[in-house]
Amino acid sequence: MAETFRQDLSRIDTSEKLLASVSIAELSASSAEDGTSPQELSHGDPSRLSILESLPSEVLEEILSFLMLDLPPETYGARNEDLVACLLTSKVLHSATLSLLYRNVTIPHSQIFAKMLANLLKHPELGSLVRRLNFSHYTSVGFGRTRRGSSEIRNVKPETLIQSLKLLPNLRELLVHEELDDELDANVLRQIFTMPSLTALDFCASSSRTFVDGMSAAITDNPSLPESLPKLKRLSLHECETLQAPVFESLLPRLVNLTHLDVAHTLITDRALENIPITARITHLNLIRCTRIVGASIVKFLTTHPAVKDTLIYLNLHCDISRYRLLSANDVTYLLSRLPSTLRSLNLTGARVTPVHMPQLLTLSTHLQELGLGFTDLEADNLRDLIFQQNPHDGSPSSTLCYLDLTGIECLTPGLLDRLTSPFIRSAPRFHNYSRRQAQPLPPLLAIEVSDSISAEARKRHNLQEAKLHYDQSFIYRELGRRVVFTKKGGASAEEMKGSGRGVEWKMGADDGWGMRKIPVARQEVGGLYGFYMFKK
């Protein structure tokens, strides 16, 4: 359908194509030069409408959405050219397209923001169409300018941010990151937390003094802040590492309907978590490298608090063992026995996981899709059992694991990794050789993350075996930023899972990889700095 629609668009006059190459803001402004606002556009004479134009607006917008690009291209050229061309096709398509274009606004650099703000000031009614304001791809570097030169232009500053937010009465999702934290002062943050429809908020890696002081003024020292924020359901303060504990202790009790909470690498305390309202129903919780929380307290919270004990889908308790171990062996035993069956992703990297915990891990592996066991004390046979666990009735794989994090496990050598990722594994309790005759059914595993120290040798072994044995290896090497992952050919991404019956709706569009370390708060394809924090750090 989308391809046919693109062919129809290609018949638009060349002069109109030239117009379609300009920015959305410029084209929208030029289309309204006759004095007719988007809300006043006529749908035309029904007797003269095409079949496409006669469709209900909801169906027409769904069709047009196939032309929508979630991610801007890497260059600074035009975006969504096909959609922009639809603005010039007819009044009916103009109305439907305009609504779609302004629903989710992505700001990759300051010029786009300046054009958007200018257009909203000229046509304030457009602001009511915006549901998402996305700065996740934003950068101030480019166009041949230095960082200092870009900062001097300052299209994006506290005054312009407040001005734009006041023009967006129906904004539901606001996504920003560290590139903008110097602009997020107390006035901007007060405006954000008073927006009536805001459901998702992401301040990824914001840690400047301006931001920290602004959060204290807007949350802790703000008597006008409402006692509850029922609309705000998804909050990410991922790596806001300088944000002070009183902010968490003041903000979290107000989130009565919280479902997603990412406080990785922050100064959050046990007290702040315990004060989360019992009416919240948290499905996604990220506590990576939170050094102010205590193992016994977090286990008690996870197993007894009504907001989390029966609803968790994603739980990340990754800790840095060079500084501390969050969970003792007893903590792990107690926690594993009480985790809900709704859980699909669990990261226990750095916890004191031993072979004693294998029965509990095998039980969890029948419904988990991601399992992080980095820097644990498991043995070689334990890893084999996790991957090749079989149904006792028919011999089929009973594990649902698609991703395993085995970073830092001492028993994991290049040779062992090679045997774990070979398509021909002996089904005997202990395995040493490849055998086509005794091959067992392949597990659903799609990705194994390993330490960088063994990845180079493992790659050499894979290449050598492929040359000698004349078969393609099941897994191939991928380097993702600071992480090394062996991924299964033809099925390394969550995108491959959508039609397999093992859905990945809980990943909220983050389908480019497994083992995400940042929780998405908006359903979209992941890119920019968010993609780095999610899959590459």
Side-chain angles (χ1 to χ4, degrees):
M1 182 181 293
E3 184 60 33
T4 303
F5 199 47
R6 282 192 172 92
Q7 294 174 0
D8 293 338
L9 291 177
S10 67
R11 302 189 183 98
I12 297 175
D13 184 72
T14 305
S15 62
E16 294 178 343
K17 285 184 178 180
L18 292 176
L19 280 175
S21 67
V22 301
S23 71
I24 295 171
E26 289 174 331
L27 190 88
S28 302
S30 66
S31 67
E33 286 180 353
D34 60 355
T36 304
S37 71
Q39 290 182 340
E40 297 170 338
L41 286 171
S42 169
H43 287 275
D45 183 358
S47 63
R48 301 179 60 184
L49 296 179
S50 67
I51 296 177
L52 181 64
E53 293 171 303
S54 302
L55 294 172
S57 59
E58 295 84 359
V59 177
L60 184 55
E61 288 184 14
E62 183 66 24
I63 294 173
L64 290 172
S65 69
F66 284 97
L67 302 179
M68 190 76 181
L69 296 178
D70 282 338
L71 298 181
E74 295 299 325
T75 64
Y76 290 101
R79 296 176 295 129
N80 293 314
E81 291 180 277
D82 291 338
L83 266 181
V84 173
C86 292
L87 289 171
L88 303 169
T89 306
S90 72
K91 290 183 177 180
V92 174
L93 287 181
H94 182 285
S95 179
T97 303
L98 201 63
S99 175
L100 189 62
L101 282 172
Y102 275 88
R103 182 180 303 165
N104 299 326
V105 177
T106 298
I107 308 293
H109 48 83
S110 62
Q111 279 84 343
I112 293 294
F113 177 79
K115 290 177 181 179
M116 181 202 74
L117 179 57
N119 206 43
L120 290 178
L121 290 172
K122 187 175 181 180
H123 305 287
E125 64 275 8
L126 291 175
S128 63
L129 301 176
V130 179
R131 300 295 185 269
R132 177 189 300 159
L133 187 57
N134 182 4
F135 286 92
S136 65
H137 301 274
Y138 182 84
T139 177
S140 60
V141 179
F143 303 101
R145 292 193 294 267
T146 63
R147 179 180 291 271
R148 179 177 179 180
S150 298
S151 65
E152 290 174 352
I153 297 176
R154 292 200 70 196
N155 289 318
V156 181
K157 52 187 178 180
E159 295 78 13
T160 55
L161 283 172
I162 292 174
Q163 199 173 20
S164 65
L165 291 172
K166 288 182 177 180
L167 293 169
L168 309 178
N170 298 320
L171 186 67
R172 296 177 184 173
E173 300 170 341
L174 177 61
L175 314 177
V176 296
H177 59 68
E178 59 185 319
E179 189 78 19
L180 288 170
D181 59 2
D182 282 329
E183 316 303 334
L184 300 175
D185 64 12
N187 293 327
V188 174
L189 292 167
R190 287 192 191 99
Q191 177 65 35
I192 290 173
F193 283 103
T194 56
M195 301 195 73
S197 301
L198 200 63
T199 61
L201 190 54
D202 197 328
F203 290 117
C204 178
S206 299
S207 57
S208 69
R209 172 56 61 185
T210 300
F211 173 74
V212 172
D213 291 344
M215 285 292 283
S216 295
I219 303 298
T220 310
D221 305 324
N222 184 8
S224 63
L225 186 68
E227 286 300 315
S228 71
L229 299 170
K231 288 287 187 178
L232 188 54
K233 297 181 178 181
R234 302 185 296 275
L235 175 66
S236 175
L237 296 167
H238 185 90
E239 298 228 8
C240 296
E241 55 190 17
T242 57
L243 200 59
Q244 298 303 299
V247 173
F248 298 99
E249 294 170 5
S250 178
L251 177 59
L252 294 187
R254 291 176 160 87
L255 306 182
V256 294
N257 293 315
L258 187 65
T259 60
H260 294 60
L261 179 62
D262 189 335
V263 287
H265 201 189
T266 65
L267 301 177
I268 192 171
T269 61
D270 299 319
R271 178 182 175 184
L273 290 172
E274 291 165 359
N275 288 337
I276 292 176
I278 62 173
T279 55
R281 291 295 177 265
I282 297 178
T283 59
H284 294 62
L285 180 61
N286 190 355
L287 297 172
I288 291 177
R289 294 195 294 167
C290 292
T291 57
R292 297 289 183 89
I293 60 177
V294 180
S297 298
I298 193 62
V299 169
K300 179 182 178 182
F301 167 75
L302 292 172
T303 56
T304 63
H305 199 292
V308 292
K309 67 185 184 70
D310 298 319
T311 56
L312 281 175
I313 296 175
Y314 173 97
L315 175 62
N316 199 323
L317 299 175
H318 182 292
C319 70
D320 182 359
I321 63 167
S322 66
R323 301 184 63 184
Y324 75 112
R325 279 191 186 270
L326 177 63
L327 301 179
S328 67
N330 289 336
D331 292 333
V332 173
T333 300
Y334 191 84
L335 178 63
L336 293 182
S337 65
R338 288 162 175 80
L339 287 173
S341 59
T342 56
L343 200 63
R344 295 295 176 266
S345 178
L346 173 64
N347 195 323
L348 296 174
T349 294
R352 186 67 72 182
V353 180
T354 68
V356 173
H357 299 113
M358 278 306 298
Q360 293 171 302
L361 290 175
L362 290 173
T363 300
L364 287 171
S365 70
T366 60
H367 59 80
L368 286 177
Q369 292 180 320
E370 294 182 345
L371 179 58
L373 296 170
F375 297 96
T376 55
D377 300 323
L378 295 180
E379 299 174 355
D381 282 349
N382 302 146
L383 303 184
R384 183 192 71 92
D385 291 341
L386 271 175
I387 295 175
F388 297 102
Q389 180 183 188
Q390 290 184 334
N391 188 315
H393 301 292
D394 57 13
S396 63
S398 59
S399 170
T400 59
L401 291 175
C402 299
Y403 162 86
L404 263 178
D405 182 358
L406 304 181
T407 305
I409 294 184
E410 292 186 2
C411 72
L412 186 64
T413 63
L416 176 59
L417 177 64
D418 183 47
R419 293 194 291 274
L420 292 175
T421 58
S422 170
F424 304 107
I425 303 293
R426 295 178 65 90
S427 57
R430 294 188 177 273
F431 52 95
H432 300 282
N433 302 308
Y434 300 102
S435 172
R436 294 176 184 268
R437 291 172 296 178
Q438 293 183 333
Q440 64 186 62
L442 292 179
L445 194 67
L446 298 177
I448 299 178
E449 184 167 351
V450 299
S451 302
D452 184 63
S453 59
I454 69 169
S455 62
E457 179 63 26
R459 272 189 297 166
K460 291 179 183 178
R461 294 176 67 94
H462 269 236
N463 294 336
L464 181 63
Q465 286 159 2
E466 186 169 346
K468 285 185 175 181
L469 302 179
H470 304 291
Y471 63 76
D472 290 336
Q473 293 291 68
S474 293
F475 284 73
I476 57 176
Y477 169 90
R478 292 180 67 194
E479 188 171 333
L480 304 174
R482 304 178 186 178
R483 302 167 66 179
V484 178
V485 182
F486 279 83
T487 57
K488 197 171 187 177
K489 285 185 178 180
S493 71
E495 184 70 28
E496 301 290 330
M497 298 278 291
K498 287 187 175 178
S500 68
R502 293 177 287 148
V504 287
E505 286 298 310
W506 58 270
K507 292 174 71 66
M508 296 185 66
D511 298 332
D512 291 334
W514 294 93
M516 65 182 187
R517 293 182 181 174
K518 179 188 180 302
I519 294 176
V521 298
R523 190 172 298 279
Q524 62 172 358
E525 293 185 35
V526 177
L529 199 66
Y530 285 16
F532 169 77
Y533 280 104
M534 193 172 293
F535 294 116
K536 297 183 179 181
K537 185 176 179 182

